[in-house]
Amino acid sequence: MELAQRFRDFALREAGDNSPLYHQRALDISTDPEVLALIDRSPIDKQQPNLILAAARVNGAIAVPYSEFRDQLRENWSAISATALRRRAQSVRRP
């Protein structure tokens, strides 16, 4: 599956009811070729939207307009990527 589509699907299927911030962040990332290119450098299993967003948060990303969040991602990408590589996302199985 295309990376942009993974972020769109996450926004619409998983984050929408649970986290308005993650919902919007995932939608914004899904249309941002530069940020998608950063994420695409990671192994496929480390490109999960919730993992990337959580790693960004752990590394100081805050709730600001997307243009500022984008700058946070770009400026701190090495730390965000390293965090994502060390961690894994937990998934919840729904019946």
Side-chain angles (χ1 to χ4, degrees):
M1 176 186 303
E2 179 188 335
L3 185 56
Q5 186 64 47
R6 287 178 73 186
F7 274 80
R8 273 190 300 276
D9 287 351
F10 172 78
L12 299 174
R13 294 181 185 165
E14 297 183 40
D17 292 335
N18 299 315
S19 172
L21 180 61
Y22 274 27
H23 170 83
Q24 190 58 53
R25 290 288 188 243
L27 286 177
D28 291 336
I29 289 171
S30 76
T31 62
D32 189 330
E34 187 175 341
V35 171
L36 288 168
L38 285 175
I39 298 167
D40 196 42
R41 293 183 203 161
S42 300
I44 289 175
D45 65 326
K46 300 300 180 177
Q47 296 175 4
Q48 298 166 340
N50 55 338
L51 179 60
I52 296 298
L53 293 169
R57 187 171 179 193
V58 164
N59 285 283
I62 57 174
V64 292
Y66 183 71
S67 61
E68 294 174 50
F69 177 72
R70 182 181 195 267
D71 290 343
Q72 293 171 0
L73 288 176
R74 292 171 49 219
E75 291 166 10
N76 299 308
W77 183 250
S78 60
I80 293 166
S81 177
T83 298
L85 288 172
R86 287 191 313 271
R87 309 249 175 135
R88 63 179 195 208
Q90 293 181 348
S91 59
V92 176
R93 300 256 181 218
R94 295 183 181 155

